[in-house]
Amino acid sequence: MADLQRRRSLAEFLRSRRERLTPQEAGILAGPRRRTPGLRREEVAQLSGVSVTWYTWLEQARDITVSRQVLTSLARALMLSSVERRHLFALAGEPLPERPPGPGPGPALQRLVDALEPNPAYLLDANWDLVGWNRAEAALIGDPGQLEPAERNLLWLVFTDPAMRSLLADWSGQAQDLVAQFRADARQRSGDPRYEQLTGGLREASEEFRAWWAAHDIADFGSSRRTFHHPRAGALTFDYVKLAALDAPGIKLFACMPADAATTRKLPALQECAAGADPEGAAVGTAGADPEEADVGPVGAQ
């Protein structure tokens, strides 16, 4: 019964989109006499490259198979918006097409990250570049704003900053998990210049990344617990929560919530680091930098 209702909803949606589209908008010569509002079924079938019979069955809620390729053709023929296209795929029971990355986080999203203090929080884009963080995160890992833009990337910092190995407990296990998560998360990024630059640079810079990347392991992100050995605050354990920003495609927010009472008690020490008290204790320098001069450190793992 649920499947029948879904097919009926799909049929009604297609009919409504067909009837709202004029022949002129679709690039079709209308002719002198038209009783059908919008496009005819045969016109939609022709524009999308399917048979008139098959499309008619679709609008009649018949039990027929609809492929992703045909859905894409129908969306193009009916000039659907991105939200209408996702709705079409959902009604057809197909996985939703991934939304292309947007221009990045807006000011409101950064204000949300700031409002999460005293808990560390940060924003990653589709290539896991750091595009936002709060003062607590900067106090935990060093200020990413002091790095070159190309270096403000989670994987780059994990694999190229030697200080990360002492900051993160179980560096090897966590780093390997990150590689598997990144491969799954960035499966649509192949060919993107930034993606190719990042993965190519990491293969050259890190023997561990090169070996784990070649293994082609993949993993979904799940709520995870990470322990840090912070030079000022000591051992800190956080539960990571990942949220996708619906109004900023490709942007993910990571909030670090204290996993125990001891970590909660130590958050004021992180705030002191963020305020500039004892800058020598704020964690870790950049790879290759003089430890007495650098005050920037690696980024916390997912």
Side-chain angles (χ1 to χ4, degrees):
M1 187 64 182
D3 186 60
L4 175 59
Q5 184 56 50
R6 181 183 57 79
R7 296 199 309 270
R8 285 174 176 170
S9 296
L10 173 61
E12 292 168 0
F13 179 68
L14 287 171
R15 190 178 306 115
S16 70
R17 301 304 91 176
R18 172 173 63 82
E19 292 177 349
R20 72 163 188 179
L21 190 62
T22 66
Q24 291 79 11
E25 290 173 324
I28 297 174
L29 184 62
R33 300 178 61 184
R34 292 183 68 93
R35 292 180 298 177
T36 302
L39 298 183
R40 298 187 177 103
R41 285 175 175 171
E42 56 266 28
E43 291 169 338
V44 174
Q46 181 181 5
L47 289 170
S48 55
V50 299
S51 71
V52 176
T53 299
W54 187 90
Y55 181 77
T56 300
W57 286 350
L58 199 57
E59 281 201 9
Q60 291 174 345
R62 300 278 191 98
D63 189 4
I64 56 177
T65 301
V66 188
S67 69
R68 293 180 63 85
Q69 181 178 0
V70 168
L71 289 172
T72 299
S73 297
L74 286 172
R76 182 171 56 250
L78 294 171
M79 303 178 68
L80 300 186
S81 66
S82 59
V83 65
E84 289 172 332
R85 185 169 180 262
R86 294 194 298 275
H87 186 64
L88 173 67
F89 273 70
L91 291 176
E94 282 289 324
L96 299 180
E98 296 192 17
R99 300 171 66 184
L109 196 53
Q110 179 61 54
R111 290 199 299 270
L112 173 60
V113 172
D114 292 337
L116 288 171
E117 296 226 19
N119 303 306
Y122 60 93
L123 301 170
L124 295 183
D125 70 5
N127 288 309
W128 289 20
D129 287 332
L130 278 152
V131 292
W133 55 88
N134 61 14
R135 293 202 311 158
E137 176 68 14
L140 176 64
I141 53 84
D143 183 7
Q146 299 299 315
L147 299 172
E148 293 296 326
E151 298 176 348
R152 296 173 198 162
N153 178 275
L154 179 61
L155 284 176
W156 184 261
L157 293 171
V158 167
F159 282 94
T160 66
D161 191 334
M164 186 60 129
R165 297 172 188 265
S166 59
L167 183 67
L168 280 173
D170 185 25
W171 178 91
S172 178
Q174 294 186 37
Q176 192 167 1
D177 286 345
L178 286 177
V179 173
Q181 291 172 23
F182 179 73
R183 183 177 281 281
D185 190 46
R187 58 186 175 274
Q188 301 295 327
R189 306 300 295 161
S190 181
D192 175 80
R194 172 57 177 156
Y195 171 88
E196 299 296 342
Q197 175 197 44
L198 174 66
T199 54
L202 283 168
R203 287 196 299 271
E204 292 183 6
S206 169
E207 181 179 350
E208 291 102 333
F209 180 87
R210 185 164 58 251
W212 293 334
W213 188 253
H216 288 268
D217 293 333
I218 59 173
D220 286 331
F221 176 85
S223 296
S224 56
R225 179 164 292 184
R226 302 291 187 235
T227 297
F228 295 82
H229 297 305
H230 192 271
R232 167 81 182 271
L236 299 167
T237 302
F238 293 101
D239 287 324
Y240 275 68
V241 178
K242 172 184 173 184
L243 303 173
L246 294 179
D247 58 348
I251 301 298
K252 294 175 284 293
L253 184 153
F254 292 85
C256 312
M257 313 305 294
D260 50 43
T263 299
T264 300
R265 289 194 300 268
K266 294 175 181 178
L267 288 181
L270 277 180
Q271 291 181 300
E272 290 180 13
C273 292
D278 191 10
E280 293 182 358
V284 300
T286 54
D290 187 334
E292 295 182 357
E293 297 177 356
D295 62 354
V296 178
V299 174
Q302 287 191 25

